[in-house]
Amino acid sequence: MRKLRRILVAMLIGMTISAGAFGQKNDNRPPKENPKVVEKPKPPPSNNNQNNSNKPKKP
């Protein structure tokens, strides 16, 4: 019984180690570039060229 148990434990450990070794991915593809976010162009700021009454007038 003990012999069978040792054999089963050894097989389980061997299967675990081999699954870890073969389970690693070897991905040689180049990394994907992230898609660029297209932003809408902002409208130019409004141009308020009105006379400001707070400014002193030039002589």
Side-chain angles (χ1 to χ4, degrees), residues 4-59:
L4 179 62
R5 186 180 225 175
R6 283 187 183 176
I7 292 171
L8 290 174
V9 169
M11 287 176 53
L12 180 64
I13 291 172
M15 287 175 24
T16 305
I17 292 172
S18 65
F22 292 116
Q24 294 177 353
K25 273 190 170 181
N26 189 8
D27 194 3
N28 293 330
R29 294 181 294 173
K32 291 183 179 178
E33 293 182 14
N34 292 334
K36 295 181 180 177
V37 178
V38 179
E39 294 182 10
K40 293 181 181 178
K42 294 180 182 178
S46 62
N47 192 355
N48 292 331
N49 283 339
Q50 297 173 353
N51 291 334
N52 191 349
S53 61
N54 294 336
K55 287 185 179 179
K57 293 185 178 184
K58 292 182 182 178

